[in-house]
Amino acid sequence: MIRTLPEDFIFGGATAAYQCEGATALDGKGPVAWDEFLERQGRFKGEPASDFYHQYPVDLELCEQFGLNGIRLSIAWSRIFPNGTGEVNWKGVQFYHDVLAEAKKRGIQVFVTLHHFDTPKALFDEGDFLNPKTIDAFVDYARFCFEEFKEVENWSTFNEIYPVATNQYLIGTFPPGTIKYDLKKTIQCLHNMMLAHAKVVNLFKDGGYAGKIGVVHSLENKYPASDDPKDVHAAFLDDALSIRFLLDATYLGRYSDETMRALDEISKENGFEISFDEADFAEMEKAKDRNDYLGINHYQVHFVKDYHGETAIHHNGTGDKGTGSYKVKGIGERIYKEGIERTDWDWLIYPQGMYDLMMRIKTDYPNYKEIYITENGMGYKDTFENGLIDDEPRIDYVKKYLSALADAIQDGVNVKGYFLWSLMDVFSWSNGYNKRYGLFYVDFDDQKRYPKKSAYWYKGLARTKEIRDSYPESEAYQKEYLEKTGR
Ligand code: BGP
C-alpha cells in the first residue's frame, strides 16, 4: 500500500542558529556559554559550523531546487541582544531580515524558534532559567522579535525544554558542565521554562500579533522493558517527567494529579522536595488554549526497567555503538531491547513510536490544534566518494517514520508538516561533526554543499506526496553516480 501525505503538507528541513551559522563573534554577536564550554572541552567548536551566516543564499536555493517548502531556523538571542538585555545589535537584526527575505523569495515557509539551547552568556552565568531574571529577559527579547520581525508567520518559543534541563543538570553534557545528577534543578528548570513559554504565548495573543505561536517539545515515548509491574511503573515515572510534565503544562495549564504523584515519588527517593508558585499556574492556565501548534521532535523511544541504585549515566557522544547507558535512581534504567535496531549513537529506531505518540496526544490533550514534526532524522556516518553520498539507511529511516505518521493522520491526528533534521549537515552539540543528519552534505573545510541520495528521494516525496521506495528523482542520483564513477 502506498501511503500519501496531505496536499498542503510542509516538507521542510530544520536547522538551529548555533549549529549552522558559525560567525559566533562576528558583527556584534554576543557570547553564549557554549563558546567557552566547547573551547574548554577541546573536542570541537561551533565555528565555522555550516557557515550559514554567509551561505544562507546557497542553502535556501538548494531548498527550492529540491522541492522543500519549509525551513525551521532559530534566531540567536545574543545576535540581537549581545548581553541578553539592553542594547540591540542592529547588524544581527538585519541578518535575520535578510534570511527571511531570501526564504520568501524562494517560496519557503519559515518557522522561527526564539531559543534553541543558546541563552546569552551574561544570563546563563547567572543561573540561566533557574533564575527568574532570565524569564523576564526572555519575554522582553520575544516582544522585541514580535515587534521587529513582522514577516514571521510561525513562532516557537523554545526548542526542547526537557533536553535543556536534563543535559544541563542531570546528564551534564551541556554547559555549565559542572553539574550532574541534579534532579531538583532539572525539575525547576523545566517548570521555569514552561512558565516563560506561557508568558510569551500570552504576550503574543494579548498583543494581537499576526501569525501563529507554539512550542517545540522533544517527546520520546517510554515503554516498559517487560510486563513486570515494576518495569511498567518505571516507564510511567520516566514518562511523567519527560513527556507528561511538559504536555500538562502546555495544554492543561497545571500538572495533573497523576503527574504530581510521579514527581513526588521521584523527589522523595532522591531526597528533595519540590513546590511551585501558585501564581505560575494562573499564567499557564491562561495560555493553555492559545498554542496554535505543537512542534514535536521525535527520533527514538526508550524501554525502561525498574531501578533504585545510584544514578549513573554515560552519554554516547562518539558513535561507538553500545557505550551509552542511562540509570536514574527512583526513575528507571533505559535498556537496549533485543531485536530493535539502533544507530551508532545508540538511538533506538522504532517507527511505531511515532504513531503511538500522535495517537496519545490526540486522546490525552485534545486541545492541541495542530502538530508539526519539527525534527526527525537519522544521525549517520556518511561516506563521501567523488562528491556522492549514498545514505540509503537514512532514506529507509525517514520512509518508515513518515509511514507511521501517515497512518496517524489517517486515524485523525492533525499533522500539518514535517521538518527533517537537518536541512544540511550541521554541528551536533555533544557529538561534533561526524554525526551527520543533512539532506545536503557539507564539506566543513570549504563549505561546499553536495546533495545526498536522500535529497533526491525527498524531492520526489515532496513533489508526489506519496511515500515510495524511489522516484524519478532518485534515478537522477543514480545517473550522476554513473557519470562520476563510471560504475
Ligand atoms: C535535537 C536538537 C537538535 C539536534 C538534534 C540531533 O535534540 O533540537 O539541535 O542536535 O536533536 O541531536 P544530536 O545532534 O545530539 O544527535
Side-chain angles (χ1 to χ4, degrees), residues 189-261:
C189 175
L190 290 174
H191 174 78
N192 289 6
M193 290 181 79
M194 283 313 309
L195 174 63
H197 161 75
K199 286 190 172 189
V200 170
V201 167
N202 289 330
L203 163 80
F204 187 80
K205 294 295 177 185
D206 291 343
Y209 297 103
K212 293 184 173 182
I213 193 160
V215 61
V216 172
H217 285 314
S218 159
L219 304 176
E220 300 176 333
N221 323 20
K222 309 294 180 250
Y223 298 100
S226 76
D227 295 340
D228 184 331
K230 285 185 175 164
D231 293 347
V232 173
H233 189 64
F236 159 75
L237 293 173
D238 202 349
D239 177 86
L241 185 65
S242 59
I243 298 185
R244 216 181 261 274
F245 190 83
L246 298 165
L247 292 180
D248 282 4
T250 312
Y251 287 113
L252 307 181
R254 62 184 165 80
Y255 307 117
S256 68
D257 293 346
E258 215 176 359
T259 304
M260 281 314 294
R261 258 202 308 280

Coordinates of all heavy atoms in Angstrom, one line a residue, residues 189-261:
C189 N 14.0 23.8 36.4 CA 14.3 24.4 35.1 C 13.2 24.1 34.1 O 12.7 25.0 33.4 CB 15.7 23.8 34.6 SG 16.1 24.4 32.9
L190 N 12.7 22.9 34.2 CA 11.5 22.5 33.3 C 10.4 23.4 33.6 O 9.7 24.0 32.7 CB 11.1 21.1 33.6 CG 12.0 19.9 33.2 CD1 11.4 18.6 33.6 CD2 12.1 19.9 31.6
H191 N 10.1 23.6 34.8 CA 8.9 24.4 35.2 C 9.1 25.9 34.8 O 8.2 26.5 34.3 CB 8.7 24.3 36.7 CG 7.6 25.2 37.2 ND1 6.3 24.9 37.1 CD2 7.7 26.4 37.9 CE1 5.5 25.9 37.6 NE2 6.4 26.8 38.0
N192 N 10.3 26.4 35.1 CA 10.5 27.8 34.8 C 10.5 28.1 33.3 O 10.0 29.1 32.9 CB 11.9 28.3 35.3 CG 11.9 28.4 36.9 OD1 10.9 28.0 37.5 ND2 13.0 28.8 37.4
M193 N 10.9 27.1 32.5 CA 10.9 27.4 31.1 C 9.4 27.2 30.6 O 9.0 28.0 29.6 CB 11.8 26.4 30.3 CG 13.3 26.7 30.6 SD 14.4 25.6 29.7 CE 14.4 26.3 28.0
M194 N 8.7 26.4 31.2 CA 7.2 26.3 30.8 C 6.5 27.5 31.2 O 5.6 28.0 30.5 CB 6.6 25.0 31.4 CG 6.9 23.7 30.7 SD 6.8 23.7 28.9 CE 5.2 24.3 28.6
L195 N 6.9 28.1 32.3 CA 6.3 29.4 32.7 C 6.7 30.5 31.7 O 5.8 31.3 31.3 CB 6.8 29.8 34.1 CG 6.4 31.1 34.6 CD1 4.8 31.2 34.7 CD2 7.0 31.4 36.0
A196 N 8.0 30.5 31.3 CA 8.4 31.5 30.3 C 7.7 31.3 29.0 O 7.3 32.3 28.4 CB 9.9 31.4 30.1
H197 N 7.5 30.1 28.6 CA 6.7 29.8 27.4 C 5.3 30.4 27.5 O 4.8 31.1 26.6 CB 6.6 28.3 27.1 CG 5.5 27.9 26.2 ND1 5.6 28.1 24.8 CD2 4.3 27.4 26.4 CE1 4.4 27.7 24.3 NE2 3.6 27.3 25.2
A198 N 4.6 30.1 28.6 CA 3.3 30.6 28.8 C 3.2 32.1 28.8 O 2.3 32.7 28.1 CB 2.7 30.1 30.2
K199 N 4.2 32.8 29.4 CA 4.2 34.2 29.4 C 4.4 34.8 28.0 O 3.7 35.8 27.6 CB 5.4 34.7 30.3 CG 5.2 34.6 31.7 CD 6.2 35.3 32.6 CE 5.8 35.3 34.0 NZ 6.6 36.1 34.9
V200 N 5.2 34.1 27.2 CA 5.4 34.6 25.8 C 4.2 34.4 25.0 O 3.8 35.2 24.1 CB 6.7 34.0 25.2 CG1 6.8 34.3 23.7 CG2 7.9 34.6 26.0
V201 N 3.5 33.2 25.2 CA 2.3 33.0 24.4 C 1.2 34.0 24.8 O 0.5 34.6 23.9 CB 1.8 31.5 24.7 CG1 0.3 31.4 24.2 CG2 2.7 30.5 24.1
N202 N 1.1 34.3 26.0 CA 0.1 35.3 26.5 C 0.4 36.7 25.9 O -0.4 37.5 25.5 CB 0.0 35.3 28.0 CG -0.7 34.0 28.5 OD1 -1.6 33.5 27.7 ND2 -0.4 33.6 29.7
L203 N 1.7 37.0 25.9 CA 2.2 38.3 25.4 C 1.8 38.4 23.9 O 1.3 39.4 23.4 CB 3.7 38.4 25.5 CG 4.4 39.4 24.7 CD1 4.3 40.8 25.3 CD2 5.9 39.1 24.5
F204 N 2.0 37.3 23.2 CA 1.8 37.3 21.7 C 0.3 37.4 21.5 O -0.2 38.2 20.6 CB 2.2 35.9 21.2 CG 2.2 35.8 19.7 CD1 3.2 36.3 18.9 CD2 1.2 35.1 19.1 CE1 3.1 36.2 17.5 CE2 1.1 34.9 17.7 CZ 2.1 35.5 16.9
K205 N -0.6 36.7 22.2 CA -2.0 36.8 22.0 C -2.6 38.1 22.5 O -3.4 38.7 21.8 CB -2.7 35.6 22.6 CG -2.3 34.2 22.0 CD -2.8 34.1 20.6 CE -2.3 32.8 19.9 NZ -2.7 32.8 18.5
D206 N -2.2 38.5 23.7 CA -2.7 39.8 24.2 C -2.3 40.9 23.3 O -3.1 41.9 23.1 CB -2.2 40.0 25.6 CG -2.8 39.0 26.6 OD1 -3.8 38.4 26.3 OD2 -2.2 38.9 27.7
G207 N -1.1 40.8 22.7 CA -0.6 41.9 21.8 C -1.3 41.8 20.4 O -1.0 42.7 19.6
G208 N -2.0 40.8 20.2 CA -2.7 40.7 18.9 C -1.8 40.6 17.7 O -2.1 41.1 16.6
Y209 N -0.6 40.0 17.9 CA 0.3 39.9 16.8 C -0.2 38.9 15.7 O -0.9 37.9 16.1 CB 1.7 39.4 17.3 CG 2.4 40.4 18.2 CD1 2.4 40.2 19.6 CD2 3.0 41.6 17.7 CE1 3.0 41.2 20.4 CE2 3.6 42.5 18.5 CZ 3.6 42.3 19.9 OH 4.1 43.2 20.7
A210 N 0.1 39.1 14.5 CA -0.3 38.2 13.4 C 0.5 37.0 13.4 O 1.7 37.0 13.8 CB -0.3 38.9 12.1
G211 N 0.0 35.9 13.0 CA 0.8 34.7 12.9 C 0.4 33.7 13.9 O -0.5 33.8 14.7
K212 N 1.2 32.6 14.0 CA 0.9 31.5 14.9 C 2.1 31.3 15.9 O 3.2 31.7 15.6 CB 0.8 30.2 14.1 CG -0.5 30.2 13.3 CD -0.6 28.9 12.6 CE -2.0 28.9 11.8 NZ -2.2 27.6 11.2
I213 N 1.8 30.8 17.0 CA 2.8 30.5 18.0 C 2.6 29.1 18.7 O 1.5 28.6 18.8 CB 2.8 31.6 19.1 CG1 4.1 31.5 20.0 CG2 1.5 31.6 20.0 CD1 4.4 32.8 20.7
G214 N 3.7 28.5 19.0 CA 3.7 27.2 19.6 C 5.0 26.9 20.3 O 5.8 27.9 20.6
V215 N 5.2 25.7 20.7 CA 6.5 25.3 21.4 C 6.9 24.0 20.8 O 6.1 23.2 20.3 CB 6.2 25.2 22.9 CG1 5.2 24.1 23.2 CG2 7.5 24.9 23.7
V216 N 8.2 23.8 20.8 CA 8.8 22.5 20.3 C 9.3 21.7 21.4 O 10.2 22.0 22.2 CB 10.0 22.8 19.3 CG1 10.7 21.5 18.9 CG2 9.5 23.6 18.1
H217 N 8.6 20.5 21.6 CA 9.0 19.6 22.6 C 9.7 18.4 22.0 O 9.3 17.9 21.0 CB 7.8 19.1 23.4 CG 7.2 20.1 24.4 ND1 8.0 20.9 25.2 CD2 5.9 20.5 24.6 CE1 7.2 21.6 26.0 NE2 5.9 21.4 25.6
S218 N 10.7 17.9 22.7 CA 11.3 16.6 22.4 C 10.4 15.5 23.1 O 10.4 15.5 24.3 CB 12.7 16.6 22.9 OG 13.2 15.2 23.0
L219 N 9.8 14.7 22.4 CA 8.9 13.7 23.0 C 9.4 12.3 22.6 O 9.3 11.9 21.4 CB 7.5 13.9 22.7 CG 6.9 15.3 23.0 CD1 5.5 15.4 22.5 CD2 7.0 15.6 24.5
E220 N 9.9 11.5 23.5 CA 10.4 10.2 23.2 C 9.7 9.2 24.1 O 9.9 9.2 25.3 CB 11.9 10.1 23.5 CG 12.7 11.1 22.7 CD 14.2 11.2 23.0 OE1 14.6 10.9 24.1 OE2 15.0 11.6 22.0
N221 N 8.8 8.4 23.5 CA 7.9 7.5 24.3 C 8.7 6.6 25.2 O 9.8 6.2 24.8 CB 7.1 6.6 23.3 CG 6.7 7.3 22.1 OD1 7.2 8.3 21.7 ND2 5.7 6.7 21.4
K222 N 8.1 6.3 26.3 CA 8.7 5.3 27.2 C 7.9 4.1 27.3 O 6.6 4.2 27.6 CB 8.8 5.9 28.6 CG 9.5 7.3 28.7 CD 10.9 7.3 28.3 CE 11.6 8.7 28.4 NZ 11.9 9.2 27.1
Y223 N 8.5 2.9 27.0 CA 7.8 1.7 27.1 C 8.4 0.8 28.2 O 9.6 0.9 28.4 CB 7.9 0.9 25.8 CG 7.3 1.6 24.6 CD1 8.1 2.3 23.7 CD2 5.9 1.5 24.3 CE1 7.5 2.9 22.6 CE2 5.3 2.2 23.2 CZ 6.1 2.9 22.4 OH 5.6 3.5 21.3
P224 N 7.6 0.0 28.9 CA 8.2 -0.9 29.9 C 9.1 -1.9 29.3 O 8.8 -2.4 28.2 CB 7.0 -1.6 30.6 CG 5.8 -1.1 29.9 CD 6.1 -0.1 28.8
A225 N 10.2 -2.2 29.9 CA 11.2 -3.2 29.4 C 10.6 -4.6 29.4 O 11.0 -5.4 28.7 CB 12.4 -3.2 30.3
S226 N 9.6 -4.8 30.3 CA 8.9 -6.1 30.4 C 7.5 -5.9 30.9 O 7.2 -4.8 31.3 CB 9.7 -7.1 31.3 OG 9.5 -6.8 32.6
D227 N 6.8 -7.0 31.1 CA 5.4 -6.9 31.7 C 5.5 -6.8 33.2 O 4.4 -6.6 33.8 CB 4.6 -8.2 31.3 CG 4.4 -8.3 29.8 OD1 4.5 -7.2 29.2 OD2 4.1 -9.4 29.3
D228 N 6.6 -7.0 33.8 CA 6.7 -6.9 35.2 C 6.2 -5.6 35.7 O 6.6 -4.5 35.2 CB 8.2 -7.0 35.6 CG 8.5 -7.0 37.1 OD1 7.7 -6.4 37.8 OD2 9.5 -7.6 37.5
P229 N 5.2 -5.6 36.7 CA 4.6 -4.3 37.1 C 5.6 -3.3 37.5 O 5.4 -2.1 37.4 CB 3.7 -4.7 38.3 CG 3.5 -6.2 38.1 CD 4.7 -6.7 37.3
K230 N 6.8 -3.7 38.0 CA 7.8 -2.8 38.4 C 8.4 -2.0 37.2 O 8.7 -0.8 37.3 CB 9.0 -3.5 39.1 CG 8.6 -3.9 40.5 CD 9.9 -4.5 41.1 CE 9.7 -4.9 42.6 NZ 10.7 -5.8 43.1
D231 N 8.6 -2.7 36.1 CA 9.0 -2.1 34.9 C 8.0 -1.2 34.3 O 8.3 -0.1 33.8 CB 9.5 -3.1 33.9 CG 10.7 -3.9 34.3 OD1 11.4 -3.5 35.3 OD2 11.0 -4.9 33.7
V232 N 6.7 -1.6 34.4 CA 5.6 -0.8 33.9 C 5.6 0.5 34.7 O 5.4 1.6 34.2 CB 4.3 -1.5 34.1 CG1 3.1 -0.6 33.8 CG2 4.3 -2.8 33.2
H233 N 5.8 0.4 36.0 CA 5.9 1.6 36.9 C 7.1 2.5 36.5 O 6.9 3.8 36.5 CB 5.9 1.2 38.3 CG 5.7 2.4 39.3 ND1 4.5 3.2 39.3 CD2 6.5 3.0 40.2 CE1 4.6 4.2 40.1 NE2 5.8 4.1 40.7
A234 N 8.2 1.9 36.3 CA 9.4 2.7 35.9 C 9.1 3.5 34.6 O 9.5 4.7 34.5 CB 10.6 1.8 35.7
A235 N 8.5 2.9 33.6 CA 8.2 3.6 32.4 C 7.2 4.7 32.7 O 7.3 5.8 32.1 CB 7.6 2.6 31.4
F236 N 6.3 4.5 33.6 CA 5.3 5.5 33.9 C 6.1 6.7 34.5 O 5.8 7.9 34.2 CB 4.3 5.0 34.9 CG 3.6 6.0 35.7 CD1 2.6 6.8 35.2 CD2 3.9 6.2 37.1 CE1 1.9 7.8 35.9 CE2 3.3 7.2 37.8 CZ 2.3 8.0 37.2
L237 N 7.0 6.5 35.4 CA 7.8 7.6 36.1 C 8.6 8.3 35.1 O 8.6 9.6 35.0 CB 8.7 7.0 37.2 CG 8.0 6.4 38.4 CD1 9.0 5.8 39.3 CD2 7.2 7.5 39.2
D238 N 9.3 7.6 34.2 CA 10.2 8.3 33.2 C 9.3 9.1 32.3 O 9.6 10.2 31.9 CB 10.9 7.2 32.4 CG 12.2 7.7 31.8 OD1 12.4 9.0 31.8 OD2 13.0 6.9 31.3
D239 N 8.2 8.5 31.9 CA 7.2 9.3 31.0 C 6.7 10.5 31.7 O 6.6 11.6 31.1 CB 6.1 8.3 30.6 CG 5.0 9.0 29.8 OD1 5.2 9.0 28.6 OD2 4.1 9.5 30.3
A240 N 6.4 10.4 33.0 CA 5.8 11.5 33.7 C 6.7 12.7 33.7 O 6.3 13.9 33.5 CB 5.5 11.1 35.1
L241 N 8.0 12.5 33.9 CA 8.9 13.6 33.9 C 9.3 14.1 32.5 O 9.4 15.3 32.3 CB 10.2 13.1 34.6 CG 11.3 14.2 34.8 CD1 10.7 15.3 35.8 CD2 12.6 13.7 35.4
S242 N 9.4 13.2 31.6 CA 9.9 13.7 30.3 C 8.8 14.1 29.3 O 9.1 14.9 28.4 CB 10.8 12.6 29.6 OG 10.0 11.4 29.5
I243 N 7.6 13.6 29.4 CA 6.5 13.9 28.5 C 5.3 14.6 29.1 O 5.0 15.7 28.8 CB 6.1 12.6 27.7 CG1 7.2 12.0 26.9 CG2 4.9 12.9 26.8 CD1 6.9 10.9 26.1
R244 N 4.8 13.9 30.1 CA 3.5 14.3 30.8 C 3.7 15.7 31.4 O 2.8 16.6 31.3 CB 3.2 13.3 31.8 CG 1.7 13.1 32.0 CD 1.6 12.1 33.2 NE 1.4 10.8 32.7 CZ 0.2 10.3 32.4 NH1 -0.9 11.0 32.5 NH2 0.0 9.1 31.9
F245 N 4.8 15.9 32.1 CA 5.1 17.2 32.8 C 4.9 18.4 31.8 O 4.3 19.4 32.1 CB 6.5 17.1 33.4 CG 6.8 18.3 34.3 CD1 6.4 18.2 35.7 CD2 7.5 19.4 33.9 CE1 6.7 19.3 36.5 CE2 7.8 20.4 34.8 CZ 7.4 20.4 36.1
L246 N 5.6 18.2 30.6 CA 5.6 19.3 29.7 C 4.2 19.5 29.0 O 3.8 20.6 28.7 CB 6.7 19.0 28.6 CG 8.1 18.9 29.2 CD1 9.0 18.3 28.2 CD2 8.6 20.3 29.5
L247 N 3.6 18.3 28.6 CA 2.3 18.5 27.9 C 1.2 18.9 28.9 O 0.3 19.7 28.5 CB 2.0 17.1 27.2 CG 2.9 16.8 26.1 CD1 2.4 15.4 25.4 CD2 2.9 17.8 25.0
D248 N 1.3 18.5 30.1 CA 0.4 19.0 31.1 C 0.5 20.6 31.2 O -0.5 21.3 31.2 CB 0.6 18.5 32.5 CG 0.1 17.0 32.7 OD1 -0.4 16.5 31.7 OD2 0.2 16.5 33.8
A249 N 1.7 21.0 31.3 CA 2.0 22.5 31.5 C 1.5 23.2 30.2 O 0.9 24.2 30.3 CB 3.5 22.7 31.7
T250 N 1.7 22.6 29.1 CA 1.4 23.3 27.8 C -0.2 23.3 27.6 O -0.7 24.3 27.3 CB 2.0 22.5 26.6 OG1 3.4 22.3 26.9 CG2 1.9 23.4 25.3
Y251 N -0.8 22.1 27.8 CA -2.2 22.0 27.4 C -3.2 21.9 28.6 O -4.4 22.1 28.3 CB -2.4 20.8 26.5 CG -1.8 21.1 25.1 CD1 -0.7 20.5 24.6 CD2 -2.4 22.1 24.3 CE1 -0.1 20.8 23.4 CE2 -1.9 22.4 23.1 CZ -0.7 21.8 22.6 OH -0.2 22.1 21.4
L252 N -2.8 21.7 29.8 CA -3.7 21.7 30.9 C -3.5 23.0 31.8 O -4.4 23.3 32.5 CB -3.5 20.5 31.8 CG -3.6 19.1 31.2 CD1 -3.4 18.0 32.3 CD2 -4.9 18.8 30.4
G253 N -2.4 23.6 31.6 CA -2.1 24.8 32.4 C -1.8 24.4 33.9 O -1.8 25.3 34.8
R254 N -1.5 23.2 34.2 CA -1.2 22.7 35.5 C -0.7 21.3 35.4 O -0.7 20.8 34.3 CB -2.5 22.7 36.4 CG -3.5 21.7 35.9 CD -4.8 21.7 36.7 NE -5.8 21.0 35.9 CZ -5.9 19.7 35.8 NH1 -5.1 18.9 36.4 NH2 -6.8 19.2 35.0
Y255 N -0.2 20.7 36.5 CA 0.3 19.3 36.4 C -0.8 18.5 37.0 O -1.4 18.8 38.1 CB 1.6 19.2 37.2 CG 2.6 20.1 36.8 CD1 3.2 21.1 37.6 CD2 3.1 20.1 35.4 CE1 4.1 22.0 37.2 CE2 4.0 21.0 35.0 CZ 4.5 22.0 35.8 OH 5.4 22.9 35.4
S256 N -1.2 17.4 36.3 CA -2.3 16.6 36.7 C -1.9 15.9 38.0 O -0.7 15.8 38.3 CB -2.6 15.6 35.6 OG -1.6 14.7 35.5
D257 N -2.9 15.4 38.7 CA -2.6 14.6 40.0 C -1.7 13.5 39.7 O -0.8 13.2 40.5 CB -3.9 14.1 40.6 CG -4.8 15.3 41.0 OD1 -4.3 16.4 41.1 OD2 -6.0 15.1 41.3
E258 N -1.9 12.8 38.6 CA -1.0 11.6 38.3 C 0.4 12.1 38.1 O 1.4 11.4 38.6 CB -1.6 11.0 37.0 CG -1.4 9.5 37.0 CD -2.0 8.9 35.7 OE1 -2.6 9.7 34.9 OE2 -2.0 7.7 35.6
T259 N 0.6 13.2 37.4 CA 2.0 13.7 37.1 C 2.6 14.1 38.5 O 3.8 13.7 38.8 CB 1.9 14.9 36.2 OG1 1.3 14.6 35.0 CG2 3.3 15.5 35.9
M260 N 1.8 14.7 39.3 CA 2.4 15.2 40.6 C 2.7 14.0 41.5 O 3.7 14.0 42.2 CB 1.4 16.1 41.3 CG 1.4 17.5 40.8 SD 3.1 18.3 40.6 CE 3.7 18.3 42.2
R261 N 1.9 12.9 41.4 CA 2.2 11.7 42.2 C 3.6 11.1 41.8 O 4.4 10.8 42.6 CB 1.1 10.6 42.0 CG 0.1 10.5 43.1 CD -0.6 9.2 43.2 NE -1.2 8.8 41.9 CZ -2.4 9.3 41.5 NH1 -3.1 10.2 42.2 NH2 -2.9 8.9 40.3

